[in-house]
Amino acid sequence: MKSRKVEPPDGGYGWVVVMSAFFTMGLTAAVLKNFGHFFIEIQNHFGVQASTTSWVTSTTIAMLHLGAPAASAMTLQFSQRVVIMLGGLLATLGMVLASLDLSLPWLYLTMGILQGTGLSFSWISANSMVSHYFVRWRPIAFAIASSGECVFAVMFSPFFKWLIDTYSWRGALLIIGGLQLNLCVCGALMRPLKKTTRPAQDTKDSLEGDATTLLAKRRTFFQCFLMRKPEFFLYILFAIFSAAGFFIPPLFLVPFASSLGMDKYWPAMILSVLASADLAGRLICGWIANMRLVRNLQLLTMVATLLGVVLLLLPISQNYWAILVFASLYGFLFGCVVAIHVTAIVDIVTLECFDSGLGLFMLLRSIGGFTGPPAAGWLVDYTNNYSVAFYLSGVCLIVSAAFVVLVDRLVHKRREAAEPQVYCAIDQQEDWETAKAESDTVT
């Protein structure tokens, strides 16, 4: 007897997995999105420039992506459940040690490397688990799971500000670390798909073929063979430029609003509204993607371009309500991009290579996440103006959308070329079956 995984159930316990992923997203990505509250506090505490302070966040972002290959590889050796729980322990340890406030490089190590690695392990494994439990409802499942980031970000924005005012930024880090320990509970709920048994193959060739396939999956789980596909290579370029633009606005939106003389709690409310719009964008775009009115890559091109345009216009805001409008548009379009940019990998590399594709995607995406915030911080220091950070972000996202256009064209051409071959194979199979039936009749 041989064992194999069952087909994705597309429901049942899968919705428990989705809810567990919902909380995982909240305790990972939502925490990272609210790091902007600590930006000014850390900058004033150590008396350094914006570019120096931004390395704390950029290190976290880089490790979030660099840890993806290790997380993906560990899910093969163990399971998503184990990796998520390990990520929760690392994230908690990072925040607790960061609260000791030993030095700025100490924050790079704790809030940056430890926290980022923990977030990566939990985030990657939760997404992988959802993708294996769903096929038909995958866009909706991803949208619901990722919306946890938005729901928690709405609550965390004023909550983090209150923690900082009440317990200082060091006490706030300690409490947040305690909250992230709940990632271990989320991981415990991630029940791996059960394996079923089937009779051994009748021929030796079949047995060797199954063994070879399994061994190939083990060996090539995270290989660069996918980079030979031009469409995937271009999608990686999209990932780099989009990541450079993604992580700049949440980091500099609070300092930008504060520089206009707003009360300290108004910027926190802006982040909450942004997160609410983000939630709406994820759910609506996930629903649209599930209807398949347009191709995922076409939809991604449209929302990424609009997102870049909104960020280029955001700096013209000079009062609270104008910033609120642009922040809402930014949040909605950001949610649309997030809802489909991971599921689009399946369209490019197929589900069998999804884990490898996601690992490569996250690994190389770290280039943009690591360089974007420091580059924006350097521009802010050089011009003494927070607006340039949003200009840089907008340009990066518009450039990234151009790469998605090329990816969509290549994928569409590949499918058009494959259709005649599929029909030809079907015709040949039908001809063979017809000839066999006639032969049996004559016999």
Side-chain angles (χ1 to χ4, degrees):
M1 303 289 284
K2 292 179 67 65
S3 63
R4 63 178 178 180
K5 285 189 176 181
V6 298
E7 292 296 322
D10 258 325
Y13 194 81
W15 295 114
V16 177
V17 171
V18 169
M19 291 310 300
S20 179
F22 174 91
F23 283 94
T24 302
M25 299 300 119
L27 294 171
T28 54
V31 172
L32 181 59
K33 288 182 71 171
N34 281 280
F35 269 12
H37 288 296
F38 296 93
F39 186 88
I40 296 178
E41 299 292 332
I42 294 174
Q43 183 179 5
N44 293 336
H45 179 75
F46 290 103
V48 295
Q49 294 182 324
S51 57
T52 305
T53 308
S54 64
W55 282 108
V56 176
T57 302
S58 63
T59 304
T60 309
I61 295 170
M63 293 308 302
L64 173 63
H65 296 84
L66 290 172
S72 299
M74 289 177 66
T75 58
L76 276 184
Q77 299 298 324
F78 306 101
S79 66
Q80 286 90 348
R81 169 183 287 172
V82 173
V83 178
I84 291 174
M85 296 175 72
L86 176 61
L89 294 175
L90 289 175
T92 299
L93 181 63
M95 289 302 239
V96 171
L97 293 177
S99 67
L100 298 178
D101 181 26
L102 299 183
S103 64
L104 191 58
W106 178 253
L107 293 184
Y108 297 157
L109 174 63
T110 54
M111 284 185 71
I113 296 177
L114 283 178
Q115 171 76 187
T117 303
L119 298 185
S120 178
F121 282 11
S122 298
W123 190 89
I124 290 293
S125 301
N127 276 286
S128 175
M129 202 67 171
V130 173
S131 70
H132 284 87
Y133 261 88
F134 290 88
V135 174
R136 180 186 175 190
W137 300 106
R138 185 179 293 133
I140 291 294
F142 265 112
I144 295 174
S146 65
S147 66
E149 173 185 341
C150 314
V151 174
F152 276 80
V154 171
M155 299 182 294
F156 281 170
S157 185
F159 178 59
F160 283 10
K161 186 62 181 175
W162 177 80
L163 286 177
I164 293 172
D165 291 341
T166 306
Y167 301 104
S168 78
W169 65 271
R170 295 175 294 278
L173 292 179
L174 184 62
I175 295 173
I176 294 169
L179 288 175
Q180 289 184 311
L181 193 59
N182 288 288
L183 286 169
C184 295
V185 180
C186 297
L189 293 173
M190 292 290 190
R191 187 172 69 194
L193 284 170
K194 293 182 179 179
K195 295 182 178 181
T196 58
T197 58
R198 60 183 172 91
Q201 299 295 323
D202 295 331
T203 65
K204 181 179 179 181
D205 291 340
S206 299
L207 287 170
E208 292 177 351
D210 289 343
T212 303
T213 301
L214 179 60
L215 185 60
K217 287 184 177 181
R218 295 278 184 175
R219 289 179 177 176
T220 63
F221 177 77
F222 186 71
Q223 289 186 355
C224 294
F225 72 97
L226 290 175
M227 296 296 291
R228 298 174 185 173
K229 298 169 67 72
E231 55 267 39
F232 186 71
F233 177 76
L234 290 171
Y235 200 67
I236 291 298
L237 294 179
F238 154 76
I240 293 172
F241 279 92
S242 63
F246 274 163
F247 299 104
I248 292 174
L251 183 61
F252 289 95
L253 190 57
V254 170
F256 173 69
S258 300
S259 68
L260 299 178
M262 294 183 185
D263 183 72
K264 59 184 180 180
Y265 276 95
W266 284 114
M269 294 304 298
I270 291 175
L271 288 181
S272 294
V273 172
L274 185 154
S276 300
D278 187 355
L279 172 61
R282 293 175 193 237
L283 295 177
I284 292 175
C285 193
W287 175 66
I288 294 174
N290 203 73
M291 292 176 64
R292 293 174 173 80
L293 299 175
V294 295
R295 296 192 296 271
N296 283 342
L297 292 170
Q298 288 179 322
L299 185 59
L300 181 59
T301 300
M302 290 185 285
V303 294
T305 302
L306 290 173
L307 179 58
V309 172
V310 167
L311 287 171
L312 290 175
L313 296 176
L314 190 148
I316 68 175
S317 310
Q318 295 299 315
N319 59 68
Y320 174 75
W321 296 108
I323 294 178
L324 196 63
V325 169
F326 279 106
S328 299
L329 290 173
Y330 161 74
F332 179 82
L333 293 169
F334 178 85
C336 291
V337 173
V338 171
I340 54 177
H341 82 297
V342 171
T343 57
I345 297 176
V346 179
D347 298 331
I348 300 171
V349 301
T350 72
L351 181 59
E352 290 183 356
C353 298
F354 173 76
D355 286 334
S356 296
L358 180 60
L360 273 172
F361 179 85
M362 295 298 292
L363 173 64
L364 297 176
R365 189 185 178 196
S366 64
I367 298 172
F370 187 66
T371 58
W378 179 83
L379 288 174
V380 169
D381 291 334
Y382 183 77
T383 62
N384 198 28
N385 186 353
Y386 285 106
S387 298
V388 294
F390 299 98
Y391 294 145
L392 175 63
S393 179
V395 169
C396 288
L397 283 162
I398 291 176
V399 172
S400 72
F403 289 114
V404 182
V405 173
L406 299 176
V407 173
D408 180 57
R409 291 175 65 89
L410 290 173
V411 172
H412 189 56
K413 285 183 178 180
R414 183 190 68 192
R415 290 180 177 175
E416 287 182 339
E419 286 180 359
Q421 298 178 7
V422 172
Y423 290 130
C424 182
I426 293 174
D427 291 339
Q428 290 177 355
Q429 179 68 18
E430 290 177 349
D431 292 341
W432 180 84
E433 291 177 352
T434 301
K436 186 176 184 300
E438 294 175 351
S439 176
D440 292 341
T441 302
V442 171
T443 302

